[in-house]
Amino acid sequence: QFFVLCHGLLQLSQLLVSGYLKSSISTIERRYGLSSQTSGLLASFNEVGNTLLIVFISYFGSRVHRPRLIGCGAILVSLAGFLMSLPHFITGPYEYDRSVASTFSNTTDLCQPGAPSTQANLSDASCTPHASRENHEVLLVMFLAQALLGIGGVPIQPFGISYIDDFASERNSPLYLGILFSVTVIGPGVAFMLGSAMLRFYVDIDKVGAAKVQLTTKDPRWVGAWWLGFLVAASLVALSALPYFFFPREMPREVRASAHTQLTEVPLVLPGFPVVLLRNLRHPVYLLVVLAQVNISAMVAGLATFMGKFLERQFSLTASLANMIIGAVNIPGAMVGIVVGGAILKRFQMSLRQCSAMCVLGMLLCLLLAFPLLFLGCPTQRVAGVTHWHRYQPGWHGCNQQCRCPEKAFNPICGSDGVEYTSPCSAGCRNVSLGADNSVLNYTSCSCIPARGLPGSATPGTCSPGCSRLFLPFVVLSCLAGILASTSHTPSFMLILRSIQPEDKSFAVGIQFMLLRVLAWMPGPVLYGSAIDTTCVLWERRCDRRAACRYYDNTLFRQR
């Protein structure tokens, strides 16, 4: 029982490390200027290390000291977690364009007529050979950490499950495995809640005093302390790993059972390997169910990675709130669906045909509920010179020509005309009013903002899209759709387990997970990220490379 407790804790903290990345992905994109395609590849990169090794591990099943190997894997996972946060400590403080000169720079992004056009602006100044090298280092460290995370995670689940099943009494074994399964489902929810908590802190909380931070969490330039969660999660993994080095290689069984069934993974490297593989893949039920699972898993993998980003962009939420919604509503919804599906299955003792009917019904209802989601979301912000043009358009009749704005400046403001401008300079604003704590209250005498013939004014931050009423229906519908889709989780497994010859069972499950990894979990986030990138209307540029996306076409983003 102590082993089950330890294993539950270890699986939870391991899922914290891998799940936390997904919760902070939009923040990491903004901080290091990554496209969604790159961040999608990063998010799924741990599957690479995992898949390469899983075959060997299953092969060595019972010949090794399993608890000790689990402990070593956990140490690797913990190391990977600490590595993930390393970029924060090897790069300088986060820099962003601002209107008020600060300790970091004396530049401003206000309109300064007559200033030379070589005005040293932050975005330009930061482009040194060092900066571009720094970027490669960051990516290298993160991809390395993800690969380590995958490799370290390999022994944890299979060995833990087979160890428990070997030494637990037959009556208790299903209960223990059920406990572990529920932990693996709760884990991602906890990870998103952790993300929600950490992203409320400013990224450089350890480098600058809290008083010097002029951004609020709602500001589009805000970057939360993404690295903090990795430290927390990695420390938890390291703590959970310790007991494993003290468990014996073999335990006395709880109760002597009459028949001793062992659930060690069947070695995949058998002489009959190709024969069994072909026999399973030629089985129409097995093949179709696995293909169906591949499709839904690819969708889940893509959504898990980018759902937070989607909510942030569609409904102008903070990263923290978006994670809260996913961790507290969507993931628990999916858990409820899995449990309900299993309960129905047990209550009505379903036949194979009824199992497949239940899967089809769940999916059809899910589609019906998810269809309106295509239309629930905010229209794209009207951004001058990006998605919106009027006769005061910057550069057209020269309302901001004499300002000589740097192209790259990004400090969005909302004009009194309801149009957003990428920076005070592009709106031709010359004056700024400050609050007591040096925070910007508003911008005045903006020559590009029409206000009855006089220069208009603007407030800092993006314009609120004014469609927050759609947010609640979206959350409710997406949660219900998730519940319905996940009711088919257990029946689809039953279809596989019952349609295959008993001696091929563990082999068939191994192949199934292999196919899910290679065809769904790996490409899913990358495909989603690429699709999201195609809807970008304004890219940030860093050192002549395309960095993160500033504005998306919201309607296209939603539909794709």
Side-chain angles (χ1 to χ4, degrees):
Q1 286 170 344
F2 183 59
F3 185 86
V4 174
L5 174 74
C6 288
H7 208 64
L9 286 174
L10 177 60
Q11 281 197 329
L12 184 67
S13 41
Q14 178 204 356
L15 283 164
L16 271 186
V17 179
S18 55
Y20 181 77
L21 173 67
K22 292 180 168 53
S23 75
S24 52
I25 202 100
S26 62
T27 302
I28 293 174
E29 278 181 18
R30 186 175 299 164
R31 174 66 183 87
Y32 294 110
L34 310 179
S35 68
S36 290
Q37 188 180 26
T38 309
S39 67
L41 184 60
L42 179 66
S44 63
F45 204 69
N46 58 333
E47 300 292 346
V48 176
N50 207 312
T51 309
L52 291 176
L53 276 178
I54 199 95
V55 181
F56 291 107
I57 287 293
S58 324
Y59 184 58
F60 290 117
S62 44
R63 306 173 200 178
V64 290
H65 192 308
R66 283 176 294 187
R68 216 167 270 169
L69 214 71
I70 294 174
C72 294
I75 296 293
L76 275 183
V77 170
S78 158
L79 188 67
F82 287 120
L83 261 181
M84 279 304 293
S85 64
L86 184 64
H88 171 73
F89 300 101
I90 56 176
T91 54
Y94 170 58
E95 296 181 341
Y96 53 89
D97 299 325
R98 49 185 105 194
S99 313
V100 188
S102 72
T103 45
F104 292 118
S105 73
N106 50 6
T107 64
T108 168
D109 54 13
L110 288 175
C111 175
Q112 296 171 311
S117 56
T118 55
Q119 184 183 355
N121 180 274
L122 270 178
S123 342
D124 300 333
S126 64
C127 194
T128 56
H130 171 67
S132 57
R133 196 180 72 241
E134 202 173 62
N135 185 268
H136 290 306
E137 285 167 7
V138 165
L139 276 179
L140 189 68
V141 168
M142 286 188 159
F143 273 98
L144 181 69
Q146 279 289 88
L148 266 184
L149 179 62
I151 293 168
V154 169
I156 293 178
Q157 203 167 2
F159 283 175
I161 287 176
S162 63
Y163 191 82
I164 289 170
D165 199 66
D166 284 355
F167 305 121
S169 70
E170 274 176 9
R171 215 183 64 217
N172 289 346
S173 179
L175 169 72
Y176 296 151
L177 297 181
I179 291 173
L180 289 187
F181 178 67
S182 59
V183 166
T184 53
V185 183
I186 293 167
V190 180
F192 276 98
M193 299 301 274
L194 178 66
S196 175
M198 294 305 165
L199 296 178
R200 287 188 189 136
F201 299 108
Y202 181 65
V203 61
D204 288 326
I205 195 159
D206 57 331
K207 298 179 188 173
V208 297
K212 292 210 179 97
V213 181
Q214 291 166 8
L215 300 180
T216 63
T217 49
K218 287 191 169 67
D219 194 293
R221 296 163 298 165
W222 172 266
V223 168
W226 60 272
W227 50 275
L228 207 50
F230 284 115
L231 294 183
V232 172
S235 311
L236 284 175
V237 175
L239 281 176
S240 322
L242 289 176
Y244 283 92
F245 294 101
F246 303 101
F247 280 110
R249 182 176 184 141
E250 289 180 346
M251 268 188 206
R253 268 181 86 85
E254 276 189 333
V255 180
R256 286 270 155 250
S258 47
H260 177 121
T261 49
Q262 265 206 320
L263 188 140
T264 9
E265 279 74 358
V266 170
L268 293 178
V269 202
L270 296 169
F273 183 85
V275 184
V276 187
L277 180 62
L278 283 174
R279 185 166 68 210
N280 281 333
L281 289 183
R282 277 215 313 271
H283 196 302
V285 176
Y286 178 77
L287 191 62
L288 286 170
V289 174
V290 169
L291 281 178
Q293 286 187 337
V294 161
N295 277 296
I296 192 164
S297 302
M299 186 183 86
V300 170
L303 278 182
T305 311
F306 292 115
M307 179 82 163
K309 183 185 178 76
F310 179 82
L311 292 175
E312 286 169 45
R313 296 294 181 153
Q314 289 292 328
F315 303 104
S316 305
L317 304 185
T318 63
S320 176
L321 181 59
N323 284 334
M324 178 76 85
I325 298 288
I326 296 170
V329 181
N330 288 81
I331 293 179
M335 285 157 57
V336 169
I338 293 176
V339 173
V340 168
I344 294 176
L345 209 64
K346 195 173 176 181
R347 172 81 183 71
F348 297 109
Q349 298 287 312
M350 292 187 158
S351 68
L352 282 190
R353 188 160 286 167
Q354 286 169 318
C355 274
S356 56
M358 184 177 156
C359 290
V360 172
L361 188 67
M363 286 299 155
L364 276 176
L365 289 173
C366 166
L367 276 178
L368 284 177
L369 275 184
F371 185 68
L373 298 182
L374 277 171
F375 311 103
L376 290 178
C378 301
T380 313
Q381 305 105 306
R382 296 191 302 162
V383 184
V386 181
T387 59
H388 179 79
W389 284 267
H390 55 64
R391 61 189 191 82
Y392 279 89
Q393 183 45 46
W396 269 20
H397 76 128
C399 65
N400 66 357
Q401 208 119 44
Q402 75 279 37
C403 300
R404 296 200 172 95
C405 301
E407 288 163 49
K408 296 180 191 167
F410 183 69
N411 175 8
I413 60 169
C414 185
S416 47
D417 56 347
V419 175
E420 199 171 305
Y421 296 81
T422 48
S423 71
C425 186
S426 69
C429 302
R430 297 170 194 218
N431 299 328
V432 58
S433 340
L434 298 178
D437 53 352
N438 232 12
S439 61
V440 174
L441 294 178
N442 68 343
Y443 296 94
T444 47
S445 49
C446 308
S447 47
C448 293
I449 303 177
R452 294 198 247 31
L454 302 162
S457 64
T459 50
T462 51
C463 296
S464 67
C467 64
S468 46
R469 62 181 189 288
L470 295 175
F471 177 53
L472 197 62
F474 182 92
V475 172
V476 172
L477 278 178
S478 69
C479 182
L480 286 174
I483 292 175
L484 284 167
S486 47
T487 51
S488 63
H489 182 272
T490 319
S492 68
F493 266 104
M494 281 300 133
L495 278 173
I496 284 181
L497 290 176
R498 288 192 199 157
S499 63
I500 237 87
Q501 291 168 347
E503 67 270 20
D504 291 348
K505 201 179 277 187
S506 63
F507 182 80
V509 174
I511 294 292
Q512 172 202 4
F513 276 109
M514 195 73 176
L515 288 171
L516 284 181
R517 282 233 164 79
V518 175
L519 298 177
W521 297 104
M522 277 187 204
V526 184
L527 291 171
Y528 266 68
S530 309
I532 291 172
D533 283 343
T534 61
T535 65
C536 185
V537 287
L538 179 69
W539 288 97
E540 167 198 6
R541 302 207 64 86
R542 286 193 192 177
C543 303
D544 295 329
R545 79 177 174 87
R546 204 176 75 176
C549 183
R550 301 278 200 207
Y551 292 106
Y552 291 96
D553 179 325
N554 271 354
T555 314
L556 278 180
F557 187 169
R558 196 167 55 243
Q559 289 164 352
R560 284 181 195 171

mmCIF file of all heavy atoms in Angstrom, residues 305-345:
data_model
loop_
_atom_site.group_PDB
_atom_site.id
_atom_site.type_symbol
_atom_site.label_atom_id
_atom_site.label_comp_id
_atom_site.label_asym_id
_atom_site.label_seq_id
_atom_site.Cartn_x
_atom_site.Cartn_y
_atom_site.Cartn_z
ATOM 1 N N THR A 305 -2.722 21.426 -25.820
ATOM 2 C CA THR A 305 -1.595 22.341 -25.950
ATOM 3 C C THR A 305 -2.048 23.782 -26.209
ATOM 4 O O THR A 305 -1.486 24.719 -25.658
ATOM 5 C CB THR A 305 -0.671 21.886 -27.102
ATOM 6 O OG1 THR A 305 -0.399 20.492 -26.935
ATOM 7 C CG2 THR A 305 0.634 22.647 -27.084
ATOM 8 N N PHE A 306 -3.074 23.961 -27.026
ATOM 9 C CA PHE A 306 -3.390 25.326 -27.480
ATOM 10 C C PHE A 306 -4.746 25.871 -27.043
ATOM 11 O O PHE A 306 -5.104 26.977 -27.410
ATOM 12 C CB PHE A 306 -3.271 25.413 -29.008
ATOM 13 C CG PHE A 306 -1.855 25.271 -29.480
ATOM 14 C CD1 PHE A 306 -1.462 24.194 -30.257
ATOM 15 C CD2 PHE A 306 -0.895 26.206 -29.122
ATOM 16 C CE1 PHE A 306 -0.146 24.060 -30.688
ATOM 17 C CE2 PHE A 306 0.417 26.091 -29.537
ATOM 18 C CZ PHE A 306 0.796 25.009 -30.324
ATOM 19 N N MET A 307 -5.501 25.088 -26.259
ATOM 20 C CA MET A 307 -6.803 25.579 -25.807
ATOM 21 C C MET A 307 -6.661 26.865 -24.981
ATOM 22 O O MET A 307 -7.442 27.796 -25.112
ATOM 23 C CB MET A 307 -7.481 24.496 -24.959
ATOM 24 C CG MET A 307 -8.826 24.905 -24.407
ATOM 25 S SD MET A 307 -10.091 24.696 -25.634
ATOM 26 C CE MET A 307 -11.536 24.745 -24.587
ATOM 27 N N GLY A 308 -5.616 26.915 -24.129
ATOM 28 C CA GLY A 308 -5.403 28.111 -23.316
ATOM 29 C C GLY A 308 -5.159 29.329 -24.187
ATOM 30 O O GLY A 308 -5.752 30.390 -23.989
ATOM 31 N N LYS A 309 -4.303 29.168 -25.168
ATOM 32 C CA LYS A 309 -3.987 30.253 -26.096
ATOM 33 C C LYS A 309 -5.244 30.694 -26.843
ATOM 34 O O LYS A 309 -5.484 31.886 -27.048
ATOM 35 C CB LYS A 309 -2.924 29.758 -27.074
ATOM 36 C CG LYS A 309 -2.430 30.783 -28.071
ATOM 37 C CD LYS A 309 -1.492 30.092 -29.036
ATOM 38 C CE LYS A 309 -0.989 31.024 -30.106
ATOM 39 N NZ LYS A 309 0.047 31.938 -29.630
ATOM 40 N N PHE A 310 -6.055 29.698 -27.229
ATOM 41 C CA PHE A 310 -7.306 29.981 -27.938
ATOM 42 C C PHE A 310 -8.225 30.860 -27.077
ATOM 43 O O PHE A 310 -8.731 31.888 -27.540
ATOM 44 C CB PHE A 310 -8.014 28.663 -28.279
ATOM 45 C CG PHE A 310 -9.326 28.841 -28.981
ATOM 46 C CD1 PHE A 310 -9.368 29.072 -30.346
ATOM 47 C CD2 PHE A 310 -10.521 28.780 -28.275
ATOM 48 C CE1 PHE A 310 -10.576 29.246 -30.999
ATOM 49 C CE2 PHE A 310 -11.732 28.950 -28.924
ATOM 50 C CZ PHE A 310 -11.762 29.182 -30.293
ATOM 51 N N LEU A 311 -8.408 30.476 -25.819
ATOM 52 C CA LEU A 311 -9.272 31.261 -24.924
ATOM 53 C C LEU A 311 -8.709 32.663 -24.711
ATOM 54 O O LEU A 311 -9.449 33.649 -24.723
ATOM 55 C CB LEU A 311 -9.417 30.551 -23.573
ATOM 56 C CG LEU A 311 -10.192 29.236 -23.571
ATOM 57 C CD1 LEU A 311 -10.141 28.587 -22.196
ATOM 58 C CD2 LEU A 311 -11.639 29.455 -23.996
ATOM 59 N N GLU A 312 -7.385 32.759 -24.554
ATOM 60 C CA GLU A 312 -6.765 34.068 -24.361
ATOM 61 C C GLU A 312 -7.079 34.998 -25.535
ATOM 62 O O GLU A 312 -7.418 36.164 -25.352
ATOM 63 C CB GLU A 312 -5.242 33.938 -24.250
ATOM 64 C CG GLU A 312 -4.737 33.364 -22.949
ATOM 65 C CD GLU A 312 -3.256 33.029 -23.031
ATOM 66 O OE1 GLU A 312 -2.476 33.855 -23.557
ATOM 67 O OE2 GLU A 312 -2.874 31.920 -22.605
ATOM 68 N N ARG A 313 -6.930 34.470 -26.763
ATOM 69 C CA ARG A 313 -7.097 35.317 -27.945
ATOM 70 C C ARG A 313 -8.561 35.596 -28.261
ATOM 71 O O ARG A 313 -8.910 36.699 -28.656
ATOM 72 C CB ARG A 313 -6.437 34.650 -29.167
ATOM 73 C CG ARG A 313 -4.942 34.503 -29.021
ATOM 74 C CD ARG A 313 -4.268 35.850 -28.983
ATOM 75 N NE ARG A 313 -2.813 35.739 -28.871
ATOM 76 C CZ ARG A 313 -1.990 36.662 -29.329
ATOM 77 N NH1 ARG A 313 -2.447 37.756 -29.895
ATOM 78 N NH2 ARG A 313 -0.686 36.495 -29.187
ATOM 79 N N GLN A 314 -9.415 34.574 -28.126
ATOM 80 C CA GLN A 314 -10.817 34.749 -28.525
ATOM 81 C C GLN A 314 -11.576 35.651 -27.560
ATOM 82 O O GLN A 314 -12.399 36.453 -27.968
ATOM 83 C CB GLN A 314 -11.524 33.390 -28.601
ATOM 84 C CG GLN A 314 -11.087 32.528 -29.753
ATOM 85 C CD GLN A 314 -11.508 33.086 -31.097
ATOM 86 O OE1 GLN A 314 -12.542 33.721 -31.238
ATOM 87 N NE2 GLN A 314 -10.696 32.850 -32.099
ATOM 88 N N PHE A 315 -11.317 35.486 -26.267
ATOM 89 C CA PHE A 315 -12.130 36.203 -25.282
ATOM 90 C C PHE A 315 -11.310 37.188 -24.456
ATOM 91 O O PHE A 315 -11.766 37.639 -23.413
ATOM 92 C CB PHE A 315 -12.829 35.193 -24.361
ATOM 93 C CG PHE A 315 -13.690 34.205 -25.109
ATOM 94 C CD1 PHE A 315 -13.260 32.906 -25.313
ATOM 95 C CD2 PHE A 315 -14.920 34.586 -25.624
ATOM 96 C CE1 PHE A 315 -14.049 31.999 -26.010
ATOM 97 C CE2 PHE A 315 -15.709 33.687 -26.321
ATOM 98 C CZ PHE A 315 -15.276 32.401 -26.516
ATOM 99 N N SER A 316 -10.088 37.499 -24.931
ATOM 100 C CA SER A 316 -9.198 38.441 -24.233
ATOM 101 C C SER A 316 -9.048 38.097 -22.760
ATOM 102 O O SER A 316 -9.175 38.966 -21.905
ATOM 103 C CB SER A 316 -9.716 39.872 -24.364
ATOM 104 O OG SER A 316 -9.883 40.199 -25.708
ATOM 105 N N LEU A 317 -8.818 36.822 -22.442
ATOM 106 C CA LEU A 317 -8.598 36.425 -21.056
ATOM 107 C C LEU A 317 -7.114 36.529 -20.727
ATOM 108 O O LEU A 317 -6.276 36.508 -21.618
ATOM 109 C CB LEU A 317 -9.021 34.969 -20.839
ATOM 110 C CG LEU A 317 -10.435 34.551 -21.198
ATOM 111 C CD1 LEU A 317 -10.659 33.104 -20.776
ATOM 112 C CD2 LEU A 317 -11.451 35.440 -20.535
ATOM 113 N N THR A 318 -6.798 36.619 -19.429
ATOM 114 C CA THR A 318 -5.395 36.503 -19.033
ATOM 115 C C THR A 318 -5.019 35.022 -19.111
ATOM 116 O O THR A 318 -5.876 34.148 -19.024
ATOM 117 C CB THR A 318 -5.179 36.987 -17.587
ATOM 118 O OG1 THR A 318 -5.924 36.137 -16.716
ATOM 119 C CG2 THR A 318 -5.660 38.414 -17.405
ATOM 120 N N ALA A 319 -3.718 34.756 -19.260
ATOM 121 C CA ALA A 319 -3.256 33.366 -19.326
ATOM 122 C C ALA A 319 -3.667 32.618 -18.058
ATOM 123 O O ALA A 319 -4.029 31.445 -18.092
ATOM 124 C CB ALA A 319 -1.735 33.337 -19.492
ATOM 125 N N SER A 320 -3.630 33.331 -16.937
ATOM 126 C CA SER A 320 -3.957 32.713 -15.652
ATOM 127 C C SER A 320 -5.413 32.231 -15.627
ATOM 128 O O SER A 320 -5.700 31.100 -15.221
ATOM 129 C CB SER A 320 -3.717 33.737 -14.541
ATOM 130 O OG SER A 320 -4.106 33.223 -13.302
ATOM 131 N N LEU A 321 -6.328 33.079 -16.096
ATOM 132 C CA LEU A 321 -7.749 32.713 -16.075
ATOM 133 C C LEU A 321 -8.041 31.580 -17.065
ATOM 134 O O LEU A 321 -8.804 30.655 -16.770
ATOM 135 C CB LEU A 321 -8.612 33.938 -16.394
ATOM 136 C CG LEU A 321 -10.128 33.705 -16.382
ATOM 137 C CD1 LEU A 321 -10.578 33.201 -15.016
ATOM 138 C CD2 LEU A 321 -10.885 34.973 -16.741
ATOM 139 N N ALA A 322 -7.405 31.641 -18.244
ATOM 140 C CA ALA A 322 -7.613 30.592 -19.247
ATOM 141 C C ALA A 322 -7.216 29.224 -18.675
ATOM 142 O O ALA A 322 -7.947 28.236 -18.829
ATOM 143 C CB ALA A 322 -6.803 30.895 -20.500
ATOM 144 N N ASN A 323 -6.069 29.175 -17.964
ATOM 145 C CA ASN A 323 -5.641 27.919 -17.343
ATOM 146 C C ASN A 323 -6.604 27.461 -16.266
ATOM 147 O O ASN A 323 -6.860 26.272 -16.103
ATOM 148 C CB ASN A 323 -4.256 28.078 -16.723
ATOM 149 C CG ASN A 323 -3.180 28.068 -17.772
ATOM 150 O OD1 ASN A 323 -3.361 27.496 -18.835
ATOM 151 N ND2 ASN A 323 -2.067 28.704 -17.494
ATOM 152 N N MET A 324 -7.138 28.438 -15.518
ATOM 153 C CA MET A 324 -8.099 28.118 -14.461
ATOM 154 C C MET A 324 -9.321 27.421 -15.058
ATOM 155 O O MET A 324 -9.787 26.407 -14.541
ATOM 156 C CB MET A 324 -8.508 29.417 -13.759
ATOM 157 C CG MET A 324 -9.530 29.220 -12.683
ATOM 158 S SD MET A 324 -8.778 28.525 -11.214
ATOM 159 C CE MET A 324 -8.202 30.003 -10.417
ATOM 160 N N ILE A 325 -9.827 27.953 -16.167
ATOM 161 C CA ILE A 325 -11.012 27.375 -16.814
ATOM 162 C C ILE A 325 -10.728 25.938 -17.256
ATOM 163 O O ILE A 325 -11.498 25.017 -16.995
ATOM 164 C CB ILE A 325 -11.431 28.214 -18.050
ATOM 165 C CG1 ILE A 325 -11.815 29.629 -17.627
ATOM 166 C CG2 ILE A 325 -12.570 27.551 -18.809
ATOM 167 C CD1 ILE A 325 -13.116 29.745 -16.901
ATOM 168 N N ILE A 326 -9.573 25.739 -17.924
ATOM 169 C CA ILE A 326 -9.250 24.400 -18.428
ATOM 170 C C ILE A 326 -9.066 23.422 -17.266
ATOM 171 O O ILE A 326 -9.600 22.309 -17.280
ATOM 172 C CB ILE A 326 -7.971 24.450 -19.291
ATOM 173 C CG1 ILE A 326 -8.229 25.310 -20.524
ATOM 174 C CG2 ILE A 326 -7.560 23.054 -19.727
ATOM 175 C CD1 ILE A 326 -6.989 25.620 -21.310
ATOM 176 N N GLY A 327 -8.322 23.843 -16.241
ATOM 177 C CA GLY A 327 -8.030 22.949 -15.122
ATOM 178 C C GLY A 327 -9.232 22.673 -14.243
ATOM 179 O O GLY A 327 -9.336 21.605 -13.640
ATOM 180 N N ALA A 328 -10.168 23.630 -14.151
ATOM 181 C CA ALA A 328 -11.287 23.467 -13.221
ATOM 182 C C ALA A 328 -12.579 23.036 -13.917
ATOM 183 O O ALA A 328 -13.490 22.558 -13.257
ATOM 184 C CB ALA A 328 -11.522 24.774 -12.456
ATOM 185 N N VAL A 329 -12.679 23.221 -15.232
ATOM 186 C CA VAL A 329 -13.929 22.895 -15.926
ATOM 187 C C VAL A 329 -13.736 21.799 -16.972
ATOM 188 O O VAL A 329 -14.359 20.743 -16.908
ATOM 189 C CB VAL A 329 -14.531 24.158 -16.605
ATOM 190 C CG1 VAL A 329 -15.839 23.795 -17.306
ATOM 191 C CG2 VAL A 329 -14.771 25.247 -15.573
ATOM 192 N N ASN A 330 -12.850 22.025 -17.943
ATOM 193 C CA ASN A 330 -12.746 21.094 -19.070
ATOM 194 C C ASN A 330 -12.166 19.736 -18.687
ATOM 195 O O ASN A 330 -12.707 18.696 -19.069
ATOM 196 C CB ASN A 330 -11.910 21.717 -20.190
ATOM 197 C CG ASN A 330 -12.675 22.835 -20.895
ATOM 198 O OD1 ASN A 330 -12.717 23.956 -20.410
ATOM 199 N ND2 ASN A 330 -13.299 22.519 -22.002
ATOM 200 N N ILE A 331 -11.070 19.731 -17.935
ATOM 201 C CA ILE A 331 -10.445 18.454 -17.588
ATOM 202 C C ILE A 331 -11.318 17.628 -16.625
ATOM 203 O O ILE A 331 -11.537 16.451 -16.867
ATOM 204 C CB ILE A 331 -9.011 18.673 -17.066
ATOM 205 C CG1 ILE A 331 -8.144 19.200 -18.213
ATOM 206 C CG2 ILE A 331 -8.421 17.375 -16.520
ATOM 207 C CD1 ILE A 331 -6.720 19.487 -17.871
ATOM 208 N N PRO A 332 -11.870 18.252 -15.555
ATOM 209 C CA PRO A 332 -12.801 17.485 -14.719
ATOM 210 C C PRO A 332 -13.993 16.961 -15.522
ATOM 211 O O PRO A 332 -14.466 15.851 -15.264
ATOM 212 C CB PRO A 332 -13.253 18.495 -13.667
ATOM 213 C CG PRO A 332 -12.141 19.455 -13.565
ATOM 214 C CD PRO A 332 -11.570 19.566 -14.946
ATOM 215 N N GLY A 333 -14.452 17.739 -16.520
ATOM 216 C CA GLY A 333 -15.549 17.281 -17.376
ATOM 217 C C GLY A 333 -15.189 15.978 -18.082
ATOM 218 O O GLY A 333 -15.971 15.021 -18.096
ATOM 219 N N ALA A 334 -13.960 15.944 -18.625
ATOM 220 C CA ALA A 334 -13.509 14.730 -19.313
ATOM 221 C C ALA A 334 -13.423 13.556 -18.335
ATOM 222 O O ALA A 334 -13.770 12.420 -18.678
ATOM 223 C CB ALA A 334 -12.154 14.978 -19.969
ATOM 224 N N MET A 335 -12.980 13.836 -17.090
ATOM 225 C CA MET A 335 -12.921 12.774 -16.089
ATOM 226 C C MET A 335 -14.305 12.200 -15.822
ATOM 227 O O MET A 335 -14.482 10.970 -15.770
ATOM 228 C CB MET A 335 -12.341 13.320 -14.776
ATOM 229 C CG MET A 335 -10.857 13.557 -14.792
ATOM 230 S SD MET A 335 -10.343 14.751 -13.547
ATOM 231 C CE MET A 335 -10.964 14.021 -12.057
ATOM 232 N N VAL A 336 -15.288 13.084 -15.653
ATOM 233 C CA VAL A 336 -16.669 12.642 -15.421
ATOM 234 C C VAL A 336 -17.128 11.747 -16.564
ATOM 235 O O VAL A 336 -17.716 10.682 -16.340
ATOM 236 C CB VAL A 336 -17.613 13.865 -15.288
ATOM 237 C CG1 VAL A 336 -19.077 13.428 -15.308
ATOM 238 C CG2 VAL A 336 -17.307 14.628 -14.006
ATOM 239 N N GLY A 337 -16.817 12.156 -17.815
ATOM 240 C CA GLY A 337 -17.213 11.376 -18.978
ATOM 241 C C GLY A 337 -16.642 9.967 -18.954
ATOM 242 O O GLY A 337 -17.346 8.983 -19.209
ATOM 243 N N ILE A 338 -15.348 9.863 -18.601
ATOM 244 C CA ILE A 338 -14.697 8.544 -18.566
ATOM 245 C C ILE A 338 -15.377 7.649 -17.531
ATOM 246 O O ILE A 338 -15.691 6.491 -17.789
ATOM 247 C CB ILE A 338 -13.188 8.701 -18.260
ATOM 248 C CG1 ILE A 338 -12.485 9.392 -19.427
ATOM 249 C CG2 ILE A 338 -12.556 7.340 -18.000
ATOM 250 C CD1 ILE A 338 -11.018 9.686 -19.191
ATOM 251 N N VAL A 339 -15.636 8.228 -16.339
ATOM 252 C CA VAL A 339 -16.255 7.447 -15.269
ATOM 253 C C VAL A 339 -17.665 7.012 -15.660
ATOM 254 O O VAL A 339 -18.043 5.849 -15.492
ATOM 255 C CB VAL A 339 -16.294 8.276 -13.964
ATOM 256 C CG1 VAL A 339 -17.093 7.547 -12.891
ATOM 257 C CG2 VAL A 339 -14.878 8.548 -13.479
ATOM 258 N N VAL A 340 -18.445 7.944 -16.219
ATOM 259 C CA VAL A 340 -19.816 7.627 -16.625
ATOM 260 C C VAL A 340 -19.819 6.530 -17.684
ATOM 261 O O VAL A 340 -20.605 5.573 -17.604
ATOM 262 C CB VAL A 340 -20.536 8.894 -17.165
ATOM 263 C CG1 VAL A 340 -21.844 8.535 -17.853
ATOM 264 C CG2 VAL A 340 -20.806 9.863 -16.022
ATOM 265 N N GLY A 341 -18.921 6.641 -18.668
ATOM 266 C CA GLY A 341 -18.824 5.609 -19.701
ATOM 267 C C GLY A 341 -18.563 4.234 -19.108
ATOM 268 O O GLY A 341 -19.219 3.246 -19.447
ATOM 269 N N GLY A 342 -17.603 4.181 -18.168
ATOM 270 C CA GLY A 342 -17.283 2.915 -17.521
ATOM 271 C C GLY A 342 -18.455 2.367 -16.723
ATOM 272 O O GLY A 342 -18.730 1.164 -16.724
ATOM 273 N N ALA A 343 -19.176 3.279 -16.036
ATOM 274 C CA ALA A 343 -20.306 2.860 -15.202
ATOM 275 C C ALA A 343 -21.431 2.270 -16.053
ATOM 276 O O ALA A 343 -21.995 1.225 -15.717
ATOM 277 C CB ALA A 343 -20.814 4.044 -14.388
ATOM 278 N N ILE A 344 -21.747 2.941 -17.160
ATOM 279 C CA ILE A 344 -22.799 2.438 -18.059
ATOM 280 C C ILE A 344 -22.421 1.044 -18.563
ATOM 281 O O ILE A 344 -23.240 0.124 -18.587
ATOM 282 C CB ILE A 344 -22.986 3.406 -19.254
ATOM 283 C CG1 ILE A 344 -23.533 4.743 -18.770
ATOM 284 C CG2 ILE A 344 -23.929 2.806 -20.293
ATOM 285 C CD1 ILE A 344 -23.654 5.795 -19.850
ATOM 286 N N LEU A 345 -21.148 0.909 -18.920
ATOM 287 C CA LEU A 345 -20.644 -0.364 -19.437
ATOM 288 C C LEU A 345 -20.858 -1.488 -18.423
ATOM 289 O O LEU A 345 -21.332 -2.572 -18.747
ATOM 290 C CB LEU A 345 -19.152 -0.204 -19.718
ATOM 291 C CG LEU A 345 -18.548 -1.049 -20.821
ATOM 292 C CD1 LEU A 345 -19.164 -0.654 -22.141
ATOM 293 C CD2 LEU A 345 -17.045 -0.817 -20.869
#
